[in-house]
Amino acid sequence: MSASRLLSLLMLLQSRGRVSARGIADELNVSVRTAYRDVARLQAAGVPVYAEPGRGGGYRLLDGYRTRLTGMSEGEARALFFAGLPGPAADLGFTAEMSAARLKLLAALPAGLREEAARAATLFHLDAPGWYREPEQTPHLPLLVDAVLNQRAVEVRYRRWRAPQEVDRHLHPYGLVLKSGTWYLVAATEKGAATYRVTHILEAALGDERFDRPRDFDLGAYWASYLDDFRARRYTGTATVRLSPRGRRRLPDNVPPEVVRAVDSTATAVGDDGWVEAVIPIEGTEHACGELLRLGGDVEVVSPAELRQAMTATVGILARAYGLGR
């Protein structure tokens, strides 16, 4: 008999109100007979569980009964303090609410776990933005949070990459995503769901219109699909390159993981000096040229010809700028 399963049953009754024996069995992945025994054990332990007979009946707790969080393990107590780290909560405007929730959670825990949870909160700090970049300013984020929570349409002026660069959009906000320190708004348009970088929103205003968020919309699933599509659209071609041993070691610090994986899976030795030849994905000639030049003399482009020519032209410009090749 698992004590953790009894606690799960207690929390189930506390959160659901009335639950049938079959519902308990399905939720806890046990037999109906085991569900009956677990209810009896709770009753024997002094928990006021009673049965409501008849169609639509089931087990429920005595009205007003609430349990304290005395069944949590040390790991579970620690984990709760990672559910809302201060950085993202502050961005969303929930600093005060997060602090209050933490205080209430600490008050509900028994003394030993309270000390362990408080200690864990002092040992970890989340700093989402990457190195060599300032945190992005998101003045419109609180307004978007309001729109998402209250299902209100927004009117935005947005800066995009292609012309015309500034466009007006009428959006139904479905959710917000934090990716590597950058906030993105997922919203519905006339053409379907789309993704908008919050820092590219130049103006934003709440509209009077309210909308119904589709019940079957899964923000996590949408984002995963969006990333897959982004990767598929990102790389439009391939290039064959040669890398020195040092160049290969420097790859993870200078190119995306997809390029590193491509080198690892396609590298073949050329000569006895440790150089390898590999096929890598590229976004385009200009982007690949800038990316590969970070490796200096530790990389050589074999093909395509236009990328090799772009590398040659750039090196020539640099040579002339520094007084060489005149």
Side-chain angles (χ1 to χ4, degrees), residues 2 29 72 90 100 115 134 154 158 177 230 234 238 240 287:
S2 170
N29 197 28
M72 297 181 69
E115 294 169 2
E134 293 291 333
V154 293
Y158 188 74
V177 176
F230 172 77
R234 179 180 182 184
T238 61
T240 301
H287 184 275

Side-chain angles (χ1 to χ4, degrees), residues 134-174:
E134 293 291 333
E136 295 193 334
Q137 301 301 311
T138 53
H140 301 300
L141 190 57
L143 180 144
L144 297 176
V145 171
D146 187 359
V148 168
L149 292 175
N150 295 298
Q151 299 184 134
R152 292 182 62 180
V154 293
E155 305 292 338
V156 304
R157 187 158 186 79
Y158 188 74
R159 184 181 75 249
R160 60 182 186 176
W161 297 111
R162 63 181 183 274
Q165 285 196 311
E166 293 188 10
V167 295
D168 295 320
R169 292 288 184 264
H170 176 79
L171 305 176
H172 290 176
Y174 283 177

Side-chain angles (χ1 to χ4, degrees), residues 233-257:
R233 289 183 290 107
R234 179 180 182 184
Y235 295 111
T236 59
T238 61
T240 301
V241 299
R242 290 179 178 173
L243 293 158
S244 72
R246 190 178 75 151
R248 194 168 180 182
R249 290 195 300 271
R250 293 174 58 200
L251 276 180
D253 295 326
N254 291 281
V255 299

Side-chain angles (χ1 to χ4, degrees), residues 108-149:
L109 290 170
L113 292 185
R114 185 184 310 138
E115 294 169 2
E116 179 59 29
R119 174 177 170 274
T122 67
L123 299 179
F124 299 90
H125 176 73
L126 174 66
D127 185 10
W131 289 102
Y132 314 117
R133 56 182 287 191
E134 293 291 333
E136 295 193 334
Q137 301 301 311
T138 53
H140 301 300
L141 190 57
L143 180 144
L144 297 176
V145 171
D146 187 359
V148 168
L149 292 175

Side-chain angles (χ1 to χ4, degrees), residues 199 279 284:
T199 51
V279 178

